[in-house]
């Protein structure tokens, strides 16, 4: 790998460690445009890279108590089913459509980062109807989400299937959708949402990679080398998370996504259709 590919791998891991999302959005273009991997193979390999990296980072978060196992199991189980189905669909989908959707996902992720939605309702001393209890820090705990068969868990399962299909089809882990969904649907704090998201992203990425196996050629040596660099970056990102301004990083990363998405549209979509 050349220095640009190594740098891209480091950034992929750092983004995962910092935000709990965004790794595939860097890995896929890096594999395609810096390492000359064919698009469908790059989608499969990016899922493998992010799967391993997210697993290691999620274990680190779990050791620090930042993974909510109950929510990760429900979201992850249905996400895995959706991702495998999306990957099989991806094998049949024209590359131009996959890359076009990938660019749109990047624009959506950038918009989410530039215009963040307020996830936590204002603090409240009284418990409103529906079982929502707000703590002194404004974090909302949904008591009915403790039940695996609650409507809350049903919403999480449906969201898992939807994000999973997107993951398999275009090769994104979907963390930028998972993190806010976890906060809004299950009421867990942001720090735990990031850790839980990484566990879910890991499971879905493995399912997506399995869905592409046998259908596209995979350079395992290259994928292993890129993964090793990404893992190192993830540890750096995790350690930096408590020392840097995430708002400033999100804005810079968002504009970077806009630039890369525009490049993908011009080179791989518009150029293919022209």
């Amino acid at each position: 790998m050349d220095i640009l590919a190594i740098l891209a791998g480091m950034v992929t891991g750092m983004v995962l460690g910092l935000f709990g999302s965004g790794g595939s959005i860097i890995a896929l273009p890096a594999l395609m445009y810096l390492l000359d991997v064919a698009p469908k193979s790059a989608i499969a390999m990016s899922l493998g890279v992010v799967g391993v990296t997210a697993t290691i980072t999620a274990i680190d978060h779990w050791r620090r108590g930042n993974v909510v196992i109950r929510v990760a199991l429900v979201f992850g189980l249905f996400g895995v089913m959706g991702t495998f189905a999306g990957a099989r669909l991806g094998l049949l989908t024209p590359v131009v459509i996959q890359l076009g959707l990938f660019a749109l996902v990047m624009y959506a992720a950038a918009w989410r980062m530039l215009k963040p939605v307020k996830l936590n309702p204002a603090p409240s001393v009284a418990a409103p109807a529906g079982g929502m209890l707000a703590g002194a820090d404004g974090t909302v705990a949904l008591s009915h989400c403790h039940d695996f068969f609650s409507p809350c868990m049903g919403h999480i399962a449906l969201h898992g299937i939807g994000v999973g299909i997107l993951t398999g089809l275009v090769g994104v882990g979907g963390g930028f959708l998972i993190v806010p969904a976890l906060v809004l649907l299950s009421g867990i704090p942001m720090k735990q949402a990031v850790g839980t998201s990484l566990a879910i992203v890991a499971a879905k990425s493995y399912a997506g990679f399995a869905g592409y196996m046998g259908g596209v050629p995979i350079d395992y040596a290259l994928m292993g080398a890129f993964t090793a660099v990404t893992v190192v970056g993830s540890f750096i990102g995790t350690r930096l998370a408590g020392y840097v301004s995430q708002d400033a990083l999100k804005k810079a990363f968002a504009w970077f996504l806009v630039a890369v998405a525009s490049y993908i549209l011009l080179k791989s979509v518009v150029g293919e259709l022209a």
Side-chain angles (χ1 to χ4, degrees):
M1 292 194 299
D2 61 24
I3 188 64
L4 286 177
I6 293 173
L7 180 61
M10 292 289 289
V11 172
T12 298
M14 290 177 68
V15 167
L16 271 172
L18 283 167
F19 305 129
S21 63
S24 299
I25 286 177
I26 303 296
L28 178 56
L31 289 168
M32 286 176 53
Y33 302 122
L34 298 180
L35 296 172
D36 296 320
V37 178
K40 286 189 184 294
S41 295
I43 289 174
M45 290 167 64
S46 72
L47 288 168
V49 169
V50 171
V52 174
T53 308
T55 297
I56 294 173
T57 313
I59 290 172
D60 187 38
H61 277 270
W62 172 71
R63 287 173 177 168
R64 290 182 285 142
N66 291 332
V67 176
V68 182
I69 301 298
R70 179 185 68 255
V71 175
L73 284 174
V74 174
F75 203 122
L77 174 62
F78 287 91
V80 162
M81 292 189 291
T83 301
F84 186 83
R88 303 310 291 181
L89 177 62
L91 289 172
L92 305 174
T93 303
V95 169
V96 66
I97 294 178
Q98 286 179 286
L99 294 180
L101 287 173
F102 182 77
L104 292 178
V105 168
M106 293 181 76
Y107 283 131
W111 177 84
R112 167 73 69 180
M113 290 181 172
L114 290 172
K115 294 186 177 295
V117 178
K118 185 178 180 182
L119 298 175
N120 289 330
S124 172
V125 295
M132 298 177 66
L133 300 175
D137 62 350
T139 300
V140 174
L142 300 186
S143 58
H144 56 265
C145 270
H146 288 238
D147 184 356
F148 276 105
F149 302 100
S150 68
C152 172
M153 285 298 186
H155 293 155
I156 290 174
L158 288 175
H159 200 89
I161 292 173
V163 176
I165 292 173
L166 182 65
T167 295
L169 183 59
V170 301
V172 295
F176 76 98
L177 292 172
I178 296 172
V179 171
L182 292 178
V183 177
L184 289 170
L185 295 177
S186 67
I188 62 179
M190 179 61 74
K191 184 180 292 187
Q192 290 186 335
V194 170
T196 306
S197 168
L198 285 164
I200 296 167
V201 166
K204 294 196 302 92
S205 296
Y206 289 130
F209 182 74
Y212 280 99
M213 283 183 65
V216 297
I218 295 172
D219 186 337
Y220 286 97
L222 177 60
M223 189 176 78
F226 194 89
T227 301
V229 175
T230 303
V231 168
V232 173
S234 72
F235 283 118
I236 296 174
T238 300
R239 296 299 178 268
L240 288 176
Y243 300 98
V244 297
S245 169
Q246 290 215 349
D247 287 339
L249 281 173
K250 281 184 178 181
K251 289 180 181 179
F253 185 54
W255 286 114
F256 173 76
L257 293 183
V258 170
V260 175
S262 300
Y263 179 81
I264 290 174
L265 281 177
L266 289 174
K267 180 177 178 64
S268 301
V269 179
V270 176
E272 182 71 22
L273 295 175

